[in-house]
Amino acid sequence: MMNDQVDNDSGTGGWDAISASLAQLYPGQEPRHAAPVRSAFLGGGDPLDGISVYHSTQGLPHWHYVTYGLSELYGKESEDPDYSGYGLELTFRLRVLPGETEAPSWAFDFLQNLARYVFRTGNVFEDGHWMTANGPIALDTPTSICSMAFASDPQLPAIETVNGRVEFLQVVGLTLEEERAATRWAPRKLLDALLPHMPLWITDLERASLLDLPAVGAAVAAGMARDGSSTGHIFTDVLEVTELEMSRAGPSLQVTLGARQVADLLTLLPLRLPFGNSLTLAGSDWQLVFEPAGIDGAGLEDQTLTVFMSPVTLAAFGSTLAPFEGDYRLPGLAQVAWSVKKTLIRDAGGVVVQTIG
């Protein structure tokens, strides 16, 4: 739960550096600031200590949200002297809808949830990353925006604070069609192609896919043919690795995936491994790393399972696994069993509107 208030007792270097940067962008504007009832610094449940939101007319009228808490706002705690905390704060630009006079509150929860994912998993978003929301990003508003990409905020350059460097990383809402194009090409290059039709990468809940525009569609098609896929990470909330009882013939590990993530892997692995590039599927508790190799194998270390795949087994992966619920085996990787679960896509009210698998 958030309270609308400004924390007047936060006069520390990390916090003040963020506020000073925003004051330069919005001189004289007093933001709406939403802070948890009990801050994370004091042991509260929300990971962020606060989120400020400004009204901007640049590009088109929009709300500009900025987080406080992924960097070190108070004393220096991390051992890395160059970066403050995770080295970033999130921003989000949301188009002002007709008749709207206050920034929507759902975006505060949206950003808290993204920050919670970072705190829980240690997976840090970077410019060029993407992530699916498995449903509309605004649960109280019908929208086709069900995914997101990340890019450096075009108006907030990185800053140096007393606790280290902080980058402002903007969350950009995408449709499912745009997400697919991002994974097959490169999320950052897709955002650049969208920018002429999406000023400042402002998220518009009412828009349709920009891939329907001939100029955008042509640019994406040409880029994919020229560059292949630069997507090296996929983030998911459905990933589990289980160690099985050892047997002479059976597998020793089981990987559980969502059907949607299997579809992503089937698309991306042939665009990564044959070019000498790895692919990482990052979940809340586990990481699954695919590496190109001449000999098949699998290695488990801490919470990371690395799968080494030969060209033959990569081809078998594509012809054997499917984005449908079930259990699968690969002859070249006998020590790993693959379990695929259904992925449920929900609408703004939480009702399942699509089942994958």
Side-chain angles (χ1 to χ4, degrees), residues 64 125 138 184 209 213 257 262 270:
H64 192 189
F125 303 124
R184 287 161 173 77
S209 172
L213 300 175
L257 302 167
V262 171

Side-chain angles (χ1 to χ4, degrees), residues 265-314:
L265 291 176
L266 293 174
T267 297
L268 290 175
L269 283 173
L271 297 172
R272 296 287 298 176
L273 269 59
F275 298 94
N277 298 316
S278 64
L279 180 66
T280 298
L281 183 64
S284 299
D285 300 309
W286 292 92
Q287 284 203 118
L288 177 61
V289 181
F290 293 89
E291 292 278 1
I295 301 176
D296 298 315
L300 183 63
E301 184 176 354
D302 296 328
Q303 298 296 105
T304 298
L305 174 63
T306 303
V307 174
F308 300 93
M309 238 179 218
S310 66
V312 171
T313 298
L314 173 59

Side-chain angles (χ1 to χ4, degrees), residues 125-146:
F125 303 124
E126 297 178 8
D127 184 295
H129 281 177
W130 67 275
M131 185 179 190
T132 182
N134 269 342
I137 63 172
L139 294 180
D140 58 351
T141 305
T143 179
S144 296
I145 307 299
C146 298

Side-chain angles (χ1 to χ4, degrees), residues 44-266:
D46 287 324
L48 298 173
D49 279 32
I51 302 171
S52 286
V53 57
Y54 295 79
H55 182 269
S56 175
T57 57
Q58 299 185 54
L60 53 89
H62 67 277
W63 308 108
H64 192 189
Y65 299 78
V66 182
T67 69
Y68 287 76
L70 285 165
S71 63
E72 291 166 302
L73 305 175
Y74 312 105
K76 181 67 178 175
E77 297 180 1
S78 70
E79 296 180 357
D80 189 339
D82 297 327
Y83 290 91
S84 175
Y86 289 106
L88 78 151
E89 293 291 351
L90 296 175
T91 76
F92 181 55
R93 298 176 187 268
L94 180 65
R95 175 184 162 235
V96 176
L97 297 178
E100 201 170 60
T101 58
E102 290 190 3
S105 296
W106 67 263
F108 295 120
D109 294 329
F110 171 63
L111 291 170
Q112 285 281 6
N113 285 334
L114 287 177
R116 187 172 289 110
Y117 174 86
V118 174
F119 274 86
R120 186 176 68 244
T121 67
N123 296 324
V124 179
F125 303 124
E126 297 178 8
D127 184 295
H129 281 177
W130 67 275
M131 185 179 190
T132 182
N134 269 342
I137 63 172
L139 294 180
D140 58 351
T141 305
T143 179
S144 296
I145 307 299
C146 298
S147 185
M148 65 205 85
F150 299 86
S152 297
D153 190 296
Q155 291 186 317
L156 287 173
I159 58 175
E160 298 294 337
T161 76
V162 293
N163 295 322
R165 182 179 176 87
V166 178
E167 178 186 1
F168 294 99
L169 194 66
Q170 183 171 324
V171 185
V172 184
L174 300 178
T175 67
L176 292 179
E177 294 79 8
E178 292 161 355
E179 175 201 301
R180 294 189 187 102
T183 61
R184 287 161 173 77
W185 184 21
R188 191 59 171 81
K189 293 179 179 179
L190 174 70
L191 290 181
D192 289 339
L194 298 181
L195 189 57
H197 312 277
M198 193 181 187
L200 295 176
W201 292 312
I202 297 166
T203 296
D204 181 356
L205 295 182
E206 295 186 334
R207 73 172 179 84
S209 172
L210 295 176
L211 295 179
D212 295 336
L213 300 175
V216 175
V220 171
M224 290 168 56
R226 180 184 65 244
D227 305 326
S229 175
S230 69
T231 299
H233 285 75
I234 306 174
F235 296 100
T236 179
D237 56 358
V238 184
L239 175 61
E240 184 177 355
V241 178
T242 306
E243 294 188 76
L244 306 175
E245 291 186 7
M246 294 293 294
S247 67
R248 182 170 299 179
S252 58
L253 298 167
Q254 177 173 286
V255 177
T256 301
L257 302 167
R260 180 171 180 175
Q261 281 64 51
V262 171
D264 291 334
L265 291 176
L266 293 174

Side-chain angles (χ1 to χ4, degrees), residues 309-346:
M309 238 179 218
S310 66
V312 171
T313 298
L314 173 59
F317 188 93
S319 60
T320 302
L321 262 72
F324 298 101
E325 188 172 47
D327 297 320
Y328 302 85
R329 300 281 183 86
L330 296 176
L333 279 169
Q335 67 267 53
V336 181
W338 305 84
S339 177
V340 179
K341 305 298 183 185
K342 296 179 186 292
T343 296
L344 304 179
I345 305 298
R346 302 179 185 275

